[in-house]
Amino acid sequence: DVKVTQSSRYLVKRTGEKVFLECVQDMDHENMFWYRQDPGLGLRLIYFSYDVKMKEKGDIPEGYSVSREKKERFSLILESASTNQTSMYLCASSRPGGDTEAFFGQGTRLTVV
Amino acid sequence: GESVGLHLPTLSVQEGDNSIINCAYSNSASDYFIWYKQESGKGPQFIIDIRSNMDKRQGQRVTVLLNKTVKHLSLQIAATQPGDSAVYFCAENIGDYKLSFGAGTTVTVRA
């Protein structure tokens, strides 16, 4: 069974903290993605990576960075967490090509207080 | 901005009836579309996909219709069951392997 695993289901962090969200996939996929999900806004792409050490900005990269040192792992970093980053964060992976589905993790609900 | 959007944020359906969920997209160059289902507390799960060279594709109890003329996508669920209660997202491939998602439609099945 294919799997995308996010390290935490729930996180509570303080304003100004540096936050790491980890994601691991076991499908040997080249592409990995980080989305945030907010009510009424659907899923918005933060960053994606199509290869190790490669990264591309999505639609809302401000306040975030990413790291992909290994093919199976894609980390999302909040350099200095703010309350407007309270959200559900979803990691996904996919094979190369434009006609391929993305597989999602279960999500991390982050609350910044 | 969003290139994919759903017409209705919520849909209430009687158990056993058919459901139709609609989606409009704005990028005429999009060539691949997916419907995802997201149950409470879970990540989105793939339901069915369709390529732009097709008008219709059927799965188990689900059918996706694509009308490229009006840039419209729909998901039909036959004989809706309680387990179909979820949020449904359409997504389109906008190039560079990225998917753009709509806001989602919450489907509630009435017993």
Side-chain angles (χ1 to χ4, degrees):
Chain A
D1 215 14
V2 297
K3 217 166 189 179
V4 178
T5 303
Q6 294 181 229
S7 54
S8 303
R9 290 293 302 274
Y10 301 95
L11 275 178
V12 179
K13 297 292 182 180
R14 294 192 182 279
T15 302
E17 276 192 79
K18 190 169 185 176
V19 182
F20 294 85
L21 302 183
E22 306 288 347
C23 175
V24 176
Q25 51 98 0
D26 65 0
M27 294 167 280
D28 202 35
H29 284 167
E30 279 77 5
N31 303 330
M32 294 190 76
F33 308 84
W34 275 106
Y35 291 87
R36 65 176 282 176
Q37 182 177 17
D38 300 288
L41 297 178
L43 279 68
R44 293 180 292 165
L45 182 64
I46 305 171
Y47 268 96
F48 71 102
S49 168
Y50 53 88
D51 201 352
V52 176
K53 296 192 185 294
M54 304 300 289
K55 59 185 179 183
E56 294 285 341
K57 292 180 180 180
D59 300 319
I60 50 165
E62 295 79 18
Y64 304 94
S65 62
V66 290
S67 172
R68 187 146 182 225
E69 296 297 318
K70 294 184 178 181
K71 190 176 185 181
E72 67 270 19
R73 186 180 297 269
F74 192 35
S75 303
L76 179 70
I77 303 154
L78 286 67
E79 298 290 342
S80 177
S82 63
T83 55
N84 63 13
Q85 292 179 308
T86 291
S87 186
M88 170 69 85
Y89 290 88
L90 290 162
C91 175
S93 71
S94 70
R95 297 184 310 271
D99 60 348
T100 176
E101 67 183 278
F103 294 84
F104 283 85
Q106 79 278 22
T108 296
R109 182 162 297 281
L110 173 67
T111 302
V112 182
V113 297
Chain B
E2 281 192 357
S3 63
V4 176
L6 286 160
H7 291 306
L8 291 174
T10 61
L11 179 66
S12 180
V13 183
Q14 186 68 39
E15 182 178 356
D17 286 353
N18 296 335
S19 304
I20 299 177
I21 307 166
N22 295 304
C23 180
Y25 64 95
S26 58
N27 188 344
S28 57
S30 295
D31 58 4
Y32 179 64
F33 304 88
I34 305 176
W35 279 100
Y36 282 92
K37 173 185 180 182
Q38 186 177 25
E39 296 175 278
S40 181
K42 297 183 179 179
Q45 289 184 296
F46 172 90
I47 302 174
I48 192 167
D49 60 1
I50 188 168
R51 289 171 174 74
S52 60
N53 60 354
M54 303 170 69
D55 297 321
K56 179 179 179 179
R57 191 163 188 225
Q58 287 185 293
Q60 188 176 17
R61 280 201 308 120
V62 294
T63 301
V64 55
L65 299 177
L66 176 62
N67 185 331
K68 295 181 288 292
T69 303
V70 295
K71 289 182 283 189
H72 183 268
L73 192 69
S74 69
L75 177 70
Q76 300 178 1
I77 305 173
T80 310
Q81 302 169 358
D84 295 327
S85 292
V87 180
Y88 291 82
F89 295 95
C90 62
E92 65 176 320
N93 173 262
I94 57 172
D96 296 332
Y97 321 123
K98 293 187 291 185
L99 291 174
S100 176
F101 288 81
T105 292
T106 300
V107 173
T108 303
V109 181
R110 306 188 306 272

